[in-house]
Amino acid sequence: MKYTAPRGTKDILPEEARLWQYIEDNCRDIFFLYNYQEIRTPVFEATELFSRSIGQTTDIVKKEMYTFADRKGRSLTLRPEATAAVVRAGLENNLISPDNFSKFFYIGPMFRYERPQAGRQRQFHQAGVEAFGSADPLLDAEVIVMAVKLFNSLGLTGLRVNLNSVGCGKCQPGYRQAVQDYFRSHIGGMCADCQERLETNPMRILDCKEAACQKVIAAAPASASHLCEECDAHFKKLLNYLDAAKVEYQRSDRLVRGLDYYTKTAFEVVSSQLGAQNAVCGGGRYDNLVEELGGKATPAIGFAIGLERLVEIMKQTKLAGHDSRGLLLYIATIGEPARKVAFDLLLKGRESGIPADMDYSGKSLKAQMKAADRQKAQYVYIIGEDEVAKGGAVLKNMATSEERTVTFENILYEPFGLEAVREEPSCGGCGGNCTCGDDND
RNA sequence: GUGGGCGUAGCUCAAUUUGGUUAGAGCAUCAGAUUGUGGAUCUGAGGGUUGCCGGUUCAAUUCCGGUCGUCCACCCCA
């Protein structure tokens, strides 16, 4: 094969694309239900936007960004995540300010230069939301509830919500220090990675999976016990709201998100069906980011769902069968005159909203029937020499094998199944937007 | 960036252990059995630079090295 998709990218083929459409439609429905409005931002931005917001010391910025210089030498970066871009767009267009509450959602591709593995690609897709202008824990609750409801609406169960508070600018440094002090006194028996992390990013030690480290981590100071009064109150209220909404969650003292901008609430939704990369949704509050990027201090919170991972769960849960949209009509022909008639009928049929097709490669009738069957056509209209002369042909119901003669004029207007789609809008001038038309789902 | 598994027909896999004549099967495709009728059955046909490059050898799909790709894990994250 001379050309293949670049490493870490994947083609989404028609069969799977239907599942993607279903999932994306579902996301939009839920987001609109919660009054989030769509925003579409460029897939690349000034490099500095990401390095500033995500954090210079994070892996994403240090080694995972697709960064390039354009022809004028500007440093641009394919977005590794959307939050920074949404904040930038919101500020640039005056949609974000402390006294203007606003909620956005987005769906689109993100790019990170990583070694591909199960549930991890270089181009992947996220659906996410961002809400600006409220520091109220009730908003945190809404966002988490929305994520849960979204998964429920797709029929998914068995997911777990992990929840933590990482504190704010006031209490986080103290906690970080406490964690570092604790691990420093136990570092001898811990893995090489953790020894490294002790100085670079002590919080990440809490995430280590090594058995030896786990023992030490189990007794590490919990973030909840180091929260300042404000963060503590915020967290407790959030837990209350979630309990009241009957949302199940798991307190996770070890949950530390990998982006620097998170404050207070951090959460993720994990699945046991995903392998090592088990987070299907991650999010949290980021009360300092807007100011960091040049806006007035504005509290905010959001999450992102990994769509590839969601698709994977849907497939494994056998929830992927939402899509059998087949042909309604296939026109089979014998001879050139019949093909002309068929082509004309085909175009007219499509005009009135009938999904229809025919053969374009001169196949035998038998082969055409086979093709119709493969494409799950409900009806086949068979036109031959005689039929062209008579002005009518055989319409075959593929499910029952029944055949009956129907004239060319009537083929697009005959009853038994076709009547639902053939009605001309009788309400003139509706522009096709009324319910008189072609709903054949 | 690190480690390991795997690259043979459109797809799923044999044959490689111990190098040896023509690299097989199922599914799929196409055709025929059925002069103008799909799904089932039977018959037949087409389809391969054994990922690529090099080395060893009389001889390499098989052994060795490299490279690319892929999968899984680490790291990290959605």
Side-chain angles (χ1 to χ4, degrees), chain A residues 54-313:
Chain A
I54 296 169
Q56 302 281 359
T57 63
T58 60
D59 277 32
I60 291 179
V61 171
K62 274 196 305 189
K63 51 187 198 190
E64 294 175 3
M65 295 208 302
Y66 270 97
T67 297
F68 59 96
D70 73 3
R71 286 167 183 273
K72 279 278 174 70
R74 291 173 279 244
S75 181
L76 301 173
T77 294
L78 262 32
R79 61 182 184 194
E81 57 108 35
T83 301
V86 170
V87 171
R88 192 230 83 222
L91 289 174
E92 189 170 338
N93 297 285
N94 289 316
L95 297 170
I96 297 174
S97 78
D99 34 39
N100 178 22
F101 185 57
S102 51
K103 305 203 275 194
F104 306 105
F105 79 85
Y106 59 84
I107 299 177
M110 309 293 158
F111 307 84
R112 290 181 202 172
Y113 190 93
E114 299 183 89
R115 275 287 270 278
Q117 94 184 58
R120 199 174 72 183
Q121 293 172 220
R122 291 184 171 179
Q123 174 174 341
F124 60 103
H125 298 77
Q126 290 185 333
V129 302
E130 316 288 353
F132 300 94
S134 167
D136 196 313
L138 192 58
L139 179 61
D140 304 39
E142 171 181 273
V143 165
I144 294 170
V145 167
M146 180 167 55
V148 170
K149 295 294 182 189
L150 176 47
F151 292 120
N152 288 346
S153 76
L154 289 167
L156 297 175
T157 52
L159 298 172
R160 201 178 70 221
V161 177
N162 290 328
L163 184 61
N164 195 16
S165 175
V166 298
C168 64
K170 270 179 277 174
C171 50
Q172 205 178 65
Y175 176 57
R176 186 186 302 266
Q177 192 61 51
V179 168
Q180 196 169 26
D181 290 348
Y182 169 79
F183 284 122
R184 199 184 300 283
S185 59
H186 294 79
I187 199 68
M190 303 184 74
C191 72
D193 284 331
C194 284
Q195 308 213 359
E196 164 101 26
R197 283 188 277 238
L198 181 63
E199 299 307 329
T200 57
N201 198 349
M203 306 281 279
R204 293 230 64 92
I205 297 179
L206 296 167
D207 257 348
C208 185
K209 288 154 195 145
E210 288 286 326
C213 302
Q214 279 295 332
K215 279 185 218 154
V216 182
I217 292 165
S223 64
S225 58
H226 283 75
L227 296 177
C228 64
E229 226 171 282
E230 185 195 329
C231 289
D232 189 53
H234 184 98
F235 194 46
K236 287 196 171 114
K237 277 188 192 168
L238 170 59
L239 298 183
N240 266 328
Y241 291 138
L242 289 177
D243 289 338
K246 295 193 170 58
V247 167
E248 286 182 37
Y249 57 86
Q250 184 102 40
R251 288 278 301 279
S252 174
D253 287 324
R254 329 174 311 132
L255 174 60
V256 183
R257 314 239 85 250
L259 290 71
D260 279 359
Y261 53 63
Y262 284 116
T263 56
K264 293 196 171 81
T265 308
F267 72 98
E268 64 182 12
V269 181
V270 298
S271 164
S272 54
Q273 303 177 72
L274 280 177
Q277 313 299 324
N278 66 349
V280 66
C281 173
R285 186 164 269 286
Y286 48 97
D287 288 343
N288 303 324
L289 183 60
V290 173
E291 187 173 20
E292 185 89 9
L293 293 180
K296 287 182 194 156
T298 306
I301 182 169
F303 68 67
I305 292 171
L307 292 180
E308 276 80 3
R309 293 180 187 178
L310 182 50
V311 165
E312 183 56 31
I313 300 172

Side-chain angles (χ1 to χ4, degrees), chain A residues 34-51:
Chain A
Y34 283 73
N35 195 27
Y36 286 71
Q37 303 296 319
E38 180 166 15
I39 186 166
R40 303 192 186 196
T41 67
V43 292
F44 59 84
E45 299 273 356
T47 299
E48 204 189 333
L49 175 67
F50 297 120
S51 51

